[in-house]
Amino acid sequence: MARLLKDGTLFAIWKTFFEGHCKSKIETIALEYPENRSLIVDYWDIDKADPKLTETLINHSYKALFNAEEALKSIDIAVDKEIALHFRVVNLPDIHKIPIRKIRAYHMGKYTAIEGLVTRATEVRNKLQVAAFQCSKCGAPIKIEQEEDILKEPSECYEDQGGCGRISSFKLLMNLSTFIDSQKIEIQENLEGLRGGAQPERISAYLEDDLVGMLLPGDRVIVNGILHSQQRRKGLHRLTSFNKVMDAYSTERQELAFEEVEVTPEDEEEILKISKDPEIYNKMKQSIAPTIYGMDWVKEGLVLQMFGGVKKQTPDGTHLRPDIHVLLVGDPGTAKSQLLDRISRISPRSISASGRGASAAGLTAAAVRDEFGEGKWTLEAGALVLADMGIACIDEFDKVEPKDRGSIHKAMEQQSIDINKAGINVTLNTRCAVLAAANPKLGRFDEFIPIHEQINMSPALLSRFDLIFPILDKPDKTTDRRISKHILSVHRGSETDVNISKCKNTTYSKEQRDDLMINAVPVFEPEFLRKYVTYARRNIFPVMTDEASGMIEDYYVRNRSIDEDAIPFTARQLEGFVRLAEANARVRLSNEITVEDAKKAISIVKEYLTRVGMDRETGKFDIDIIETGMSHTQQQRMKTILDIIATLCESSESGAAIEDIIPEAEIKGIDSGKTEDAIKHLEQNKQIFKVPKGGYKINV
Ligand code: ADP
Ligand code: MG
């Protein structure tokens, strides 16, 4: 192989290039060798020096790279110090950046860039690079370069390596062989270019030597390398079908969030102009899902979620979550799934997934051993990791596997997860906002039952959400008429549109269509919205004014002191207010958080708390309902009943009888129905138990 690739002319041109353009770079690397052993060169620097070089690099990639690396070995300093550098070309022009789904046979063997999201990465393993064998007849050591996965043995004892020339059997000599680190990763194409529900395609890439261990699932990357076909195997059998894979020569990590979305100076001008519109909030709300009627508060929350709060770090290094987590819980057929779908199409870097968990990684990540790893362990990422710096839209959140729940807590609050298994010890980032939808356990939502009893989710998990919107489907003549009018006109408008474009003798006009669609057309197209959000998240970092801060503070203190026993808000809600106020300022591209922003944050939290966090008996907010699943009043009541049972047990061997508990509780102002409820709860919580044919006793 190597001999076939040698080309004296090419070798000489590369040598001239390196000596003329990379000398100082190589000198620096030589000082750090072998820790640093790669020469990284920009495509355009080569092209500027000699376009013939880039031309061969793209079209005769193996030859170009082989001769380049040979030339690198031959320049003075390399000869002096006996160093062999890798040659890594980065920053390929867009025409050589091929979308994964467009890779075809004619791209094989060419130096190409692929761009996407790392979904899986195997552990780093040693791989034989040059295998040394010993001839069993003459004992000569014979070296064979290993280019494939399957070990290649000498076919005879080569005379040119000092062997006897006979057909022989060989023994592998480990201490004379050389090894190289290798790793396999999987890259999934970016969804940004893929609107319209198509499934993303994936490709595997092999990384070697100093490229390994640099990338983690969830990273956005450009991988440059040579595409080739790889024969598929089933056990020891070779199949006739081939996979497309890439041998990576360089990788470029995209650090910036939302880098995939390009905002041109013209876009910026338009964005700045629109940000001054006093109707900006309504227009944003209207644009996220115009075909869905109503749900004003929900849409408001979703707009704020897209913009997100400000990422910050306290002086002691604590990372404060900027992302706003939103949960939609509600009756079936209330457009929850539809809303998730819209957001995942509009918002940059979003990933949609179902709580049912199709992959082994679930929603977070897992180490698995499967076909992909070819015997190695693979780290596989789920939605929360893949949506890093974006939004994870998770439908059927209530169906999440119990084993996944613990890691979801941490992923949502600390925004990272640790995987320690089978030699893989990593921390993966989950810096995403979660937009989740859940259905009530009993089919329909009941406003009068604590929310955690209605959905299969622990109060601890529920309390990670900044906003929880119950979506009820209650028959109501006026709203029903409005919704149906809206849905029907959307359908009629679309029918008219199809008729106009498909029927030769159409009798419908574009005006008729537009009249019907008037409410269903977004003010801002999804693409513009994406650019606007990207611009705001990249450039706007608002700071709270004294007045805004004072307002939130007062509101918090006032509501906590209304009833000293019930705790309406915790510090968690306080942080939620801050995030929402920050997002609200970002919508109009303001670097200042005003009283209006604070008011908006308060009103949206108030709106959801009245629906899910209100203590139905006292009419006050009580965050305990969300955090523990029970209101403060309920908790107090259970404590009283527990005391009564304890007292009764002191004078009775067979436990406290219900007939005795009820009158005692009535004296303390608790009616019999509530007493029975409390007993039921205490029994469920295993705080008390019933003695057969007797009363209740306390569990100790
Ligand atoms: P869910 O996930 O809440 O069970 P879906 O998102 O599947 O419900 O919605 C069911 C259908 O009802 C969708 O086609 C949706 O467009 C329609 N729909 C429900 N509510 C509305 C609404 N308020 N406005 C417009 N369409 C609606
Ligand atoms: Mg649904």
Side-chain angles (χ1 to χ4, degrees), residues 614-621:
M614 185 93 96
D615 184 338
R616 296 282 159 206
E617 290 166 35
T618 63
K620 286 179 194 143
F621 292 150

Side-chain angles (χ1 to χ4, degrees), residues 465-496:
F465 287 95
D466 295 280
L467 297 170
I468 302 174
F469 291 108
I471 304 176
L472 274 59
D473 185 19
K474 276 195 291 205
D476 174 293
K477 272 226 175 77
T478 352
T479 40
D480 286 352
R481 191 156 294 285
R482 287 199 196 126
I483 294 184
S484 53
K485 254 208 176 75
H486 185 86
I487 296 180
L488 290 170
S489 69
V490 171
H491 280 263
R492 288 171 61 200
S494 311
E495 285 164 1
T496 315

